[in-house]
Amino acid sequence: MSEAAQHSATLGPAAAASASRGMRPAMISKVAGWLLVLALLVAWEASARLGLVKSQSWPPFTGVLRAVWDGMLTGELLGVLLSTMLRMLKGFLIGSAIGVVLGLLIATVPLLRRFLSIVIEAVRPLPIPAIVPPLILFLGIDDGLKVTVVALAVTFPVLINTIGGVDNIDGTLLQTARTFRKTRLETMTSIILPSALPTILAGMRISLGLAFVTTIVAEMIAGSAGVGYFIMVTQYGMRPDQMYAAVICLAALGYGLNWAFVSIERRLVGWDQRQDD
Amino acid sequence: MTGQLNPAEAPIIEVLNLSHAFTARGHTVPVFQDISMSIRRGEFLSVLGPSGCGKSTLLQIIAGLLPSMSGRVLFEGQQVTGPPPEMVYLFQQYNKSLLPWRSVLGNVSFAMEGKTWTRSQRAERGMEYLRIVGLDDFADHYPWQLSGGMQQRVAIARALAAEPKVLLMDEPFSAVDALTRLELQTLVLKIWAQSGLTVVLVTHDVDEAVFMADRVAMLSRRPAVMDRIVETGLPRPRDAVVTRETPRFLELRHQLLDTLLHRDPVGADA
């Protein structure tokens, strides 16, 4: 019993000490960071208001904020943001599912690995936007196209990380499953999947960013709906305040998505000590 | 459970003419040759040998975790071709054998999943096994929050939860400090005495092999052969301090160490 008591006792003060040591400089640089953002926004506002930049396409920051507000009230901006998000999530989920399932299969069936590895290595380096125009020929410019493109972009990082995660499982853990006579399916769900989960989620986090970018790009190339299309339309229509409003919303959304994903990740794989290092 | 030692009974495990070799860069290096032994039901057998003599490999073949290259292993008369039920292998690297994403109780439950127990029965029985190893207060902890000795006790509780007849222990105490090792040895002996388990313990520690066992099977250097099997004949229950001071213990220790160190034996064989 005393072994654990000692353990937690040594953990406590050490953690507290490092926190109090690290707190001050961290706080200062964080405040300074926000001040920089504020300064840049003030510079933006001033440059437009004082006529430092004279251009139809350079509205003041407050004008952009106003456009965000109006866009939300009328529902126009809100609508395009939501449709983009929905499209992106569909592609993200489909691509992640394919990546995980295919990855688990490839990692555990040697024959499949040898069979598929060349195809995967050949397709993987393709810049996804490059295959949008050819895909339009088959899928048109509707949702089907965009979801497919996003799913394709998402699949590879998830696939590669799933294979890597399974490859790195310690042999002792697999032998443990054997000595307790677990079936292949039980070993898959109770040992292989949880062991590989931190690596899989890391791949999904990379893919989430890719999905976001890919959705917007696909909407710009094959435009009929969504924020990507909205940005193109407002640019052509000389409505810069609305264009910047969409861009600002995208920045906030991207930040929010990553934050949400990281919180889910912490919850799921908090046991993984490599996360803390 | 069954199991007082009864020499008339058929052996629980029979190892018949096992040989094994490693292949490295096209060369075949023999590890051990023609190993045979009978393991009695309910006995505590130590397998002692210098490092590199393949005693862990031997144990893995007995466990059905490795295929045998030549020779056979019989468990209760049946040839072992994969891990048999009622035989559990305890790994040297407890920290790699526990599931880090599961609590201590969750790890013990792992051994009972896929059987007929309900979730609450598993939890209840899991707590019983944790009580046996003295970790019932740590059921909700995660393995990384525990010391090495405590982690190995979780692994022991998990092995017991599978209700095996045979426990195969691969240098289970080699990674913990000396004092914890003595405590774990006493704990395992207590569990063995109460459960009627058959235990096969692989170790390179002469002191540990003699202290724990009814019989010590000693392997020679690589390529290893069975050097001899000696009855310790030490009274039970064993005491971590007193048993080690008895003349018989010292005599055995002397003989076996002499052989391990390749010196001429001083005493006569047992």
Side-chain angles (χ1 to χ4, degrees):
Chain A
M1 320 289 114
S2 59
E3 297 164 68
Q6 272 177 6
H7 195 71
S8 60
T10 52
L11 255 184
S18 76
S20 70
R21 242 185 291 125
M23 202 59 150
R24 257 159 206 240
M27 277 298 277
I28 290 169
S29 59
K30 196 165 194 183
V31 168
W34 282 109
L35 282 176
L36 177 63
V37 172
L38 197 67
L40 286 172
L41 290 177
V42 168
W44 177 353
E45 184 74 17
S47 67
R49 292 261 177 224
L50 303 176
L52 297 177
V53 178
K54 279 193 182 141
S55 168
Q56 284 290 309
S57 48
W58 190 240
F61 177 62
T62 47
V64 173
L65 280 185
R66 166 120 220 138
V68 171
W69 178 252
D70 290 343
M72 293 295 168
L73 278 187
T74 61
E76 193 191 7
L77 185 55
L78 191 66
V80 291
L81 284 171
L82 279 177
S83 82
T84 295
M85 286 291 291
L86 218 71
R87 217 166 277 132
M88 186 200 88
L89 282 180
K90 260 190 225 167
F92 177 68
L93 291 179
I94 294 171
S96 296
I98 295 173
V100 170
V101 171
L102 202 59
L104 289 176
L105 282 172
I106 289 174
T108 51
V109 184
L111 215 63
L112 205 60
R113 179 187 298 233
R114 259 169 286 159
F115 180 62
L116 287 179
S117 62
I118 297 169
V119 177
I120 288 170
E121 286 311 311
V123 177
R124 188 161 71 111
L126 262 180
I128 293 296
I131 62 166
V132 175
L135 272 180
I136 291 177
L137 298 178
F138 296 96
L139 299 169
I141 59 167
D142 291 336
D143 264 16
L145 166 78
K146 288 153 208 163
V147 172
T148 306
V149 169
V150 173
L152 259 174
V154 165
T155 299
F156 288 99
V158 177
L159 178 75
I160 301 301
N161 270 40
T162 303
I163 296 173
V166 176
D167 285 349
N168 278 329
I169 297 175
D170 194 277
T172 306
L173 215 45
L174 296 173
Q175 293 285 62
T176 300
R178 290 189 64 211
T179 196
F180 289 107
R181 293 173 56 79
K182 300 295 176 187
T183 62
R184 275 180 79 96
L185 186 66
E186 285 167 343
T187 306
M188 182 62 89
T189 56
S190 66
I191 299 280
I192 294 178
L193 199 54
S195 292
L197 195 59
T199 323
I200 293 174
L201 287 177
M204 284 175 71
R205 185 154 26 89
I206 296 168
S207 283
L208 188 64
L210 274 179
F212 200 44
V213 172
T214 310
T215 311
I216 305 295
V217 170
E219 286 171 351
M220 285 176 167
I221 301 175
S224 62
V227 191
Y229 180 64
F230 181 83
I231 290 174
M232 298 306 280
V233 168
T234 48
Q235 188 216 357
Y236 293 144
M238 291 304 283
R239 288 143 61 196
D241 48 346
Q242 284 177 297
M243 180 181 76
Y244 285 114
V247 171
I248 281 184
C249 286
L250 284 182
L253 258 182
Y255 182 86
L257 277 172
N258 192 59
W259 177 85
F261 193 86
V262 169
S263 342
I264 294 171
E265 206 178 351
R266 279 221 189 94
R267 188 164 279 231
L268 285 177
V269 296
W271 54 266
D272 186 21
Q273 289 174 281
R274 287 170 299 180
Q275 302 274 311
D276 304 335
D277 294 341
Chain B
M1 287 188 212
T2 59
Q4 281 312 300
L5 191 136
N6 178 3
E9 214 171 338
I12 190 164
I13 296 169
E14 277 183 280
V15 176
L16 302 168
N17 313 102
L18 278 187
S19 298
H20 200 80
F22 286 130
T23 309
R25 294 196 203 116
H27 292 283
T28 304
V29 183
V31 181
F32 53 76
Q33 288 168 343
D34 202 27
I35 302 275
S36 293
M37 60 181 169
S38 291
I39 300 168
R40 301 168 189 158
R41 191 175 294 273
E43 84 167 319
F44 200 120
L45 177 82
S46 292
V47 177
L48 176 67
S51 49
C53 75
K55 49 195 188 303
S56 290
T57 307
L58 175 66
L59 198 67
Q60 284 181 37
I61 294 172
I62 294 174
L65 291 172
L66 266 184
S68 71
M69 286 181 156
S70 95
R72 295 183 301 155
V73 176
L74 303 182
F75 173 62
E76 299 195 309
Q78 300 286 315
Q79 183 159 350
V80 171
T81 52
E86 309 183 316
M87 211 196 250
V88 170
Y89 193 96
L90 197 74
F91 294 87
Q92 176 183 9
Q93 293 165 304
Y94 46 79
N95 56 338
K96 289 181 178 167
S97 164
L98 295 176
L99 282 49
W101 54 88
R102 287 202 185 196
S103 68
V104 164
L105 182 61
N107 266 283
V108 178
S109 295
F110 179 70
M112 297 181 276
E113 286 161 14
K115 298 185 180 176
T116 53
W117 312 110
T118 65
R119 180 182 280 268
S120 64
Q121 279 173 322
R122 284 201 300 266
E124 199 176 307
R125 296 169 53 80
M127 286 305 293
E128 279 173 38
Y129 289 111
L130 284 177
R131 217 165 287 135
I132 291 173
V133 298
L135 285 180
D136 41 328
D137 287 341
F138 294 89
D140 296 331
H141 283 61
Y142 281 85
W144 54 270
Q145 295 173 304
L146 306 182
S147 69
M150 295 169 89
Q151 288 181 35
Q152 188 59 299
R153 280 195 268 163
V154 176
I156 292 169
R158 182 177 65 180
L160 295 175
E163 300 193 303
K165 287 181 182 167
V166 178
L167 194 56
L168 304 169
M169 308 179 93
D170 181 14
E171 304 197 21
F173 315 128
S174 60
V176 298
D177 65 88
L179 201 61
T180 306
R181 184 178 311 169
L182 294 185
E183 285 170 6
L184 286 175
Q185 287 171 353
T186 304
L187 175 72
V188 167
L189 281 182
K190 199 181 99 191
I191 290 168
W192 169 77
Q194 287 169 357
S195 63
L197 275 170
T198 304
V199 177
V200 182
L201 171 86
V202 157
T203 181
H204 56 253
D205 181 347
V206 175
D207 189 288
E208 179 170 282
V210 173
F211 173 70
M212 306 281 284
D214 296 316
R215 293 192 299 158
V216 178
M218 191 154 113
L219 302 180
S220 66
R221 263 171 217 282
R222 193 175 63 207
V225 293
M226 182 65 76
D227 184 277
R228 73 187 103 156
I229 301 183
V230 289
E231 298 266 358
T232 60
L234 293 165
R236 292 192 188 273
R238 310 252 164 109
D239 182 276
V241 181
V242 177
T243 300
R244 285 181 167 85
E245 291 167 343
T246 59
R248 176 62 180 157
F249 180 91
L250 295 172
E251 178 196 355
L252 282 168
R253 187 173 176 276
H254 190 128
Q255 280 176 20
L256 296 171
L257 262 181
D258 256 344
T259 313
L260 276 177
L261 296 173
H262 264 219
R263 300 195 304 207
D264 292 328
V266 175
D269 274 9

